Amino acid sequence: MIFRSACREALGAPALAMAATFMAFGAAVQAAGLGMGWGLAAGQLVYGMPGQMVLLAAVGAPGGALPAVLGAVAANARFLPMAVALGPWLGPHVRLRFLAMPFIAVTPWAMAMRRLPDLPPADRLAWFLGFALTSWTVAGLSTWLGHLVAPVLDGWILAALLFVNPLYFGTILAGDTRFAPARRAVLCGAVATPLVLLLPASWALLGAGLVGGTVAFLWGQAKERRP
Amino acid sequence: MSSAALALILLILACAGMRAAGLLVAGRLKPDHPFVRWAGSVAQATLTAFVLAAVIAPGGIMASLPLVARVAGLAAAVAILFWRGGLLLPVLGGLAVTLVLAAL
C-alpha cells in the first residue's frame, strides 16, 4: 500500500525533473558518439548527474576519460553525507536498509528527507523503495529516449530540459526553509556558493557544501546551547 | 576495453562505495545524532550551491539561456510554491517564465 502510494508520488514533479534531465543526458551521450549501453550504465548505475556529466565531458578531451574519474567521484561525493543522513530514517532493520543503496541520489533523497520523518518507522523503507524505483525507472527510460531522439533536438530544447533540474531542486529547497535547520543550511549554502566559482571545478560543489553545511550545523548547535 | 568504458566502471564502483560507506556509518547512529545532522546540513548546503550555481553561472548548454530568464524562472517557481503549494505547478510555472523570457 505505502509502496504503491510512493510510486504515485514519484510520478508527479519528481518524474518531470528526472525525465527532463536524463533525456538531456541521453542526448548528450549520443552527441559524444557513445552508445546506448554506455548511457544506460552511466544513468542507472552511477545515478548521479554531476559525476555523469563530468565524465561525459572528459570522453572527448585530449587525455581521455580515465583522468577525469577522480573529478567525477568528487562531483558525486555528496552521496556519502546523503547516505549518512538518510540511513537512520530507513526503518529499524539495518541490513534491509542496503536495499536502498543503489537509489540514493538527490531526487529520492530530497523527497525522503521531507516525507520519512512523518511515516511510521516500519513503512519508511517501503516508501523509499517505491519512490526511488519509480524515479530510477523514469531515469532509465528517459536516457534511452534522449539517446534515440538526440538528432532531432536542438540546443535550445536541451538547455530548457537541463534547466528543469535546478528549478525542481530550488523549489524543494524553498519549501524546506519552513524548518529552522534546513533554513540555516540553505542560507549558509547560498552564502558559500561563490566558492563554486573559486575552487577547482571537480571539488567546487562539495567544497561549498562542506563550508556552508558545517557553518549551518555549528549555528544550530550554538542556538540549542543558548538558554 | 575502451578508456571510456573503464572510466565508467571505476566511477560506478566509487559511487557504490560512497553510498555503502554512508549507510554503514548511519547503521550505528540515530536520526538526531550530531554527525547525522551535520551530514544532512552539508548535503542540503551542497544542493543549494548546485542550484544557485546552475542559475547564476551555469556551464555548458544551459548558459545559452539568458541570466534574467534563469533568475526570473527560479523566482517564479518559488513564488508559485508559496502561493499555491505543490511541486509540479511551481516547476512548470518557473519553466514557462524562463522560456518566455528566453524567447523575447
Side-chain angles (χ1 to χ4, degrees):
Chain A
M1 191 66 180
I2 192 80
F3 181 87
R4 260 190 284 172
S5 130
C7 293
R8 276 197 300 274
E9 214 171 314
L11 286 173
L16 173 74
M18 295 296 277
T21 313
F22 278 81
M23 210 172 140
F25 174 71
V29 168
Q30 207 272 353
L34 293 165
M36 181 81 81
W38 195 95
L40 285 173
Q44 301 298 88
L45 301 176
V46 174
Y47 199 41
M49 193 52 75
Q52 290 169 222
M53 294 304 285
V54 167
L55 196 63
L56 181 62
V59 166
L66 273 175
V69 172
L70 193 62
V73 171
N76 277 356
R78 66 185 188 284
F79 287 155
L80 184 63
M82 276 181 178
V84 173
L86 180 67
W89 294 108
L90 288 174
H93 304 291
V94 173
R95 282 188 187 175
L96 286 181
R97 290 177 186 171
F98 281 83
L99 290 173
M101 193 186 94
F103 312 116
I104 296 174
V106 174
T107 298
W109 178 86
M111 286 304 283
M113 295 306 285
R114 294 176 117 195
R115 296 280 285 111
L116 295 185
D118 295 332
L119 291 176
D123 285 347
R124 288 173 183 164
L125 184 61
W127 184 94
F128 184 80
L129 290 177
F131 187 96
L133 263 171
T134 307
S135 300
W136 188 78
T137 306
V138 167
L141 290 173
S142 307
T143 304
W144 171 77
L145 187 64
H147 197 279
L148 207 67
V149 303
V152 296
L153 291 182
D154 70 19
W156 195 75
I157 295 175
L158 276 179
L161 285 174
L162 280 173
F163 192 64
V164 171
N165 209 21
L167 270 183
Y168 170 71
F169 290 124
T171 307
I172 286 185
L173 288 170
D176 284 349
T177 55
R178 63 185 187 276
F179 305 110
R183 193 161 52 240
R184 286 191 287 267
V186 168
L187 186 65
C188 293
V191 172
T193 299
L195 289 174
V196 174
L197 305 175
L198 300 174
L199 294 172
S202 56
W203 293 98
L205 270 182
L206 188 65
L210 274 171
V211 171
T214 303
V215 171
F217 170 75
L218 294 174
W219 180 5
Q221 294 282 93
K223 275 197 84 115
E224 276 173 21
R225 274 194 219 110
R226 231 175 276 158
Chain B
M1 187 185 290
S2 71
S3 75
L6 184 59
L8 179 57
I9 290 170
L10 291 174
L11 179 59
I12 289 167
L13 292 175
C15 288
M18 286 189 288
R19 288 171 170 126
L23 286 177
L24 271 175
V25 171
R28 297 175 179 278
L29 306 174
K30 292 187 171 168
D32 61 347
H33 190 281
F35 184 67
V36 173
R37 282 162 46 203
W38 171 80
S41 188
V42 167
Q44 208 141 24
T46 306
L47 191 55
T48 304
F50 163 75
V51 168
L52 291 181
V55 171
I56 296 164
I61 202 158
M62 249 196 309
S64 63
L65 297 169
L67 175 66
V68 65
R70 299 191 303 262
V71 172
L74 180 63
V78 172
I80 296 170
L81 171 81
F82 288 123
W83 175 43
R84 298 293 298 268
L87 266 178
L88 191 57
L89 189 66
V91 172
L92 288 178
L95 183 62
V97 168
T98 303
L99 292 178
V100 166
L101 289 177
L104 288 177

